Amino acid sequence: MKQIPNIFTLINLFFGCLAIIVILQSGIELITTGEGIQMMNMPEQIFMASLFIALAAVVDFFDGFLARLMNASSAMGKQLDSLADVVSFGVAPGLIIYQFLRLSVAREADGLDASVAWLLPALLLPCAAAWRLAKFNLDENQTYHFKGVPTPAVGLLVASFPLIFWHSSAATVTDIFLNKWLWYAVVLLLSWLMVSDIPIMSLKFKDYSFKNNSSKWILVLLAIVLVVLFKWAAVPFIFIAYILLSLRLKNK
């Protein structure tokens, strides 16, 4: 019974590995339209990566919940959880950005012959995730708040990008998502947010009163409204709200 939370952690890792598999199978290909125009295409298997990362996040929540419920928290469970999170919310999201960078670079003149060096900045994200999790494991005070943005939040944000991209027909959205400089900025910003010491609220509840958890309840209600209004595109707004509400809590 004590190993049930650890089994959930391994399921988290399993979903992270599945996400990586489908990401790596989503190679860029040249397609020719009926008018003879060549276009770039990335097969839609990468949609499944978003699903697997989301499932990993759900399981990641339940392994901690079960550990507290069953009084089965352990040093091994903490280390195992971080190892799984590096894969599911560090490596897999980093490879999503890697594929977007491939698509962005290939779109340019002579892009198919461009150096792989243009794509390597995507790997900074998993490196930052590993650093953030190692720092977390050495800090005993990060229970109801974090130092730096937690890796699952970053992983879910990046996992939303393929869904926003492929569910939008707006040319502006396509141009934004196929700009390599955007992705370099995203990698640098998210990596910095993870390794920084910015105080970020944990979504664990000591109790369920509004007075003691006002920022958390506001985030939950705001997330519901944003999802209804914007569907997949709500995730980046929820992420920003999470940061801003955490800073509000710090100032309070």
Side-chain angles (χ1 to χ4, degrees):
M1 294 293 290
K2 294 288 186 181
Q3 297 303 323
I4 289 178
N6 291 339
I7 292 172
F8 270 72
T9 301
L10 291 177
I11 295 173
N12 167 5
L13 177 60
F14 182 80
F15 283 134
C17 292
L18 287 176
I20 291 171
I21 290 171
V22 296
I23 292 167
L24 294 179
Q25 289 178 344
S26 300
I28 293 174
E29 61 185 11
L30 281 171
I31 60 174
T32 303
T33 66
E35 293 77 24
I37 301 173
Q38 281 193 328
M39 300 180 63
M40 298 295 171
N41 180 51
M42 185 184 291
E44 295 182 358
Q45 290 96 320
I46 201 169
F47 280 156
M48 296 301 295
S50 300
L51 171 64
F52 289 137
I53 292 173
L55 289 173
V58 172
V59 175
D60 182 56
F61 169 81
F62 278 106
D63 68 2
F65 175 78
L66 288 173
R68 293 187 295 273
L69 182 66
M70 302 173 66
N71 194 26
S73 299
S74 66
M76 178 179 174
K78 184 176 182 179
Q79 301 298 328
L80 193 62
D81 184 70
S82 290
L83 290 171
D85 284 358
V86 167
V87 175
S88 299
F89 310 119
V91 178
L95 290 178
I96 287 177
I97 293 178
Y98 181 91
Q99 290 288 34
F100 268 113
L101 276 173
R102 286 185 67 199
L103 196 58
S104 302
V105 171
R107 199 171 177 233
E108 299 175 349
D110 300 321
L112 293 177
D113 298 321
S115 170
V116 71
W118 289 103
L119 313 180
L120 295 182
L123 302 184
L124 291 175
L125 194 76
C127 292
W131 184 281
R132 188 256 178 278
L133 288 162
K135 186 171 72 171
F136 172 79
N137 283 356
L138 294 174
D139 191 339
E140 299 296 330
N141 297 319
Q142 295 189 54
T143 302
Y144 291 101
H145 77 280
F146 298 117
K147 294 178 182 177
V149 176
T151 53
V154 170
L156 287 171
L157 173 65
V158 176
S160 72
F161 293 150
L163 299 172
I164 296 171
F165 178 71
W166 273 287
H167 281 94
S168 175
S169 57
T172 303
V173 173
T174 301
D175 290 338
I176 291 174
F177 274 82
L178 296 182
N179 184 327
K180 67 176 183 287
W181 301 109
L182 165 75
W183 294 111
Y184 296 149
V186 167
V187 167
L188 290 175
L189 177 61
L190 294 182
S191 297
W192 176 76
L193 285 173
M194 282 191 286
V195 302
S196 71
D197 288 326
I198 295 175
I200 300 294
M201 66 176 172
S202 167
L203 297 181
K204 296 176 183 176
F205 288 78
K206 290 182 179 180
D207 57 53
Y208 294 99
S209 67
F210 184 83
K211 179 180 178 181
N212 295 329
N213 302 280
S214 59
S215 293
K216 298 172 187 178
W217 283 118
I218 290 172
L219 180 63
V220 170
L221 295 174
L222 186 61
I224 293 172
V225 172
L226 288 171
V227 168
V228 171
L229 293 176
F230 301 109
K231 299 181 174 61
W232 301 114
V235 178
F237 294 111
I238 296 171
F239 182 84
I240 293 171
Y242 179 42
I243 304 295
L244 294 178
L245 285 169
S246 294
L247 294 176
R248 170 187 174 274
L249 187 64
K250 165 184 175 290
N251 294 331
K252 182 179 178 181

